[in-house]
Amino acid sequence: MGKMWSTKRALDPLIERYTVGDDPEVDLMLMKYEVASTRAHSDMLLKMGIISGAERQKIENALDELEYLLGRGEFKIQVDEEDCHGALENFLVRKVGETAFKIHIFRSRNEQVLNIVRLYCKDAIGTLIKKLESLKAAFEKRSEEFRELGMPGYTHSQRAMPTTVGVWLGSFAALIEDDIALLSFVRERLNRSPLGSAAGFGTPY
């Protein structure tokens, strides 16, 4: 398939290599989110009556196959496909033909980019929160173990009121709890789908 921005003039291979860069390798990490985004969008198209149940099933089967290949490390994004969007479209066209083009109704490439980046960030933040929760629990455990062990408190790098090692360790647990709350807020704010905004300017449908 040709690129969506193709013209009658051939592109110099050197320019293409420069502009594409390592996008195929980086976008492979985002591919599973592109699949998830496409599943959600095709569900919406079915509910809106844009695609039929049979068309939706064909798309679902193709996406299942793509996920299987991704899980086995057998799927690659080709340089001429540039990114995960082009790779997924080409895969769907090969598997379901013209039906694949209906996936673009009500969504733009910019929506796809924003959506998969949000999904990636949600996953990454979720993983980070779990690690922080584990670290917080470790500080709380050690804080309890040393709650009676005295030490000097410090203010502006100078000794101040006496405290305990338990209080000192507990302060780190409290700070981590703040970080978890902030990350949870960010994750919630990310949990809004831009799909269906039709590039921000509506659609003739």
Side-chain angles (χ1 to χ4, degrees):
M1 288 182 61
K3 299 179 178 62
M4 65 173 61
W5 48 263
S6 294
T7 65
K8 294 180 180 179
R9 297 179 61 183
L11 179 65
D12 188 306
L14 180 62
I15 299 298
E16 182 170 27
R17 286 198 301 273
Y18 174 77
T19 56
V20 173
D22 60 355
D23 285 358
E25 290 78 18
V26 173
D27 270 39
L28 196 58
M29 296 187 301
L30 299 171
M31 198 70 202
K32 70 174 184 177
Y33 304 106
E34 179 75 355
V35 171
S37 178
T38 300
R39 285 190 196 278
H41 195 68
S42 64
D43 283 343
M44 182 274 291
L45 293 176
L46 176 62
K47 290 177 182 177
M48 294 291 291
I50 304 298
I51 61 176
S52 67
E55 289 174 321
R56 172 66 179 83
Q57 190 57 56
K58 287 180 181 179
I59 292 169
E60 184 73 14
N61 292 342
L63 294 175
D64 285 345
E65 182 180 347
L66 179 51
E67 276 192 327
Y68 174 77
L69 294 173
L70 284 170
R72 292 173 60 89
E74 296 177 1
F75 185 86
K76 294 290 182 289
I77 299 174
Q78 304 304 316
V79 172
D80 61 350
E81 292 175 322
E82 299 185 331
D83 53 33
C84 59
H85 315 300
L88 181 133
E89 179 176 299
N90 287 346
F91 185 84
L92 286 180
V93 169
R94 290 195 299 270
K95 296 297 177 179
V96 302
E98 293 291 317
T99 300
F101 297 119
K102 291 187 177 182
I103 286 294
H104 294 297
I105 298 173
F106 296 145
R107 81 171 180 180
S108 72
R109 198 176 183 83
N110 289 341
E111 290 167 35
Q112 289 176 262
V113 173
L114 182 56
N115 204 56
I116 66 172
V117 169
R118 286 187 178 204
L119 290 172
Y120 170 82
C121 288
K122 278 184 61 183
D123 264 6
I125 289 173
T127 299
L128 181 55
I129 286 175
K130 288 180 181 178
K131 291 181 178 180
L132 285 173
E133 287 173 340
S134 178
L135 181 60
K136 175 175 172 281
F139 271 112
E140 289 173 336
K141 179 181 179 182
R142 300 297 278 178
S143 175
E144 181 62 24
E145 290 175 3
F146 294 102
R147 63 191 178 95
E148 302 293 340
L149 182 61
M151 67 169 282
Y154 282 80
T155 300
H156 298 89
S157 300
Q158 297 183 33
R159 289 191 176 189
M161 297 292 289
T163 185
T164 67
V165 173
V167 169
W168 176 65
L169 291 171
S171 69
F172 290 99
L175 288 171
I176 293 170
E177 186 172 357
D178 286 345
D179 290 337
I180 291 172
L182 288 170
L183 285 168
S184 297
F185 172 77
V186 172
R187 193 168 188 267
E188 182 62 30
R189 294 303 299 164
L190 284 170
N191 198 32
R192 303 176 69 188
S193 173
L195 294 177
S197 58
F201 301 101
T203 171
Y205 261 90

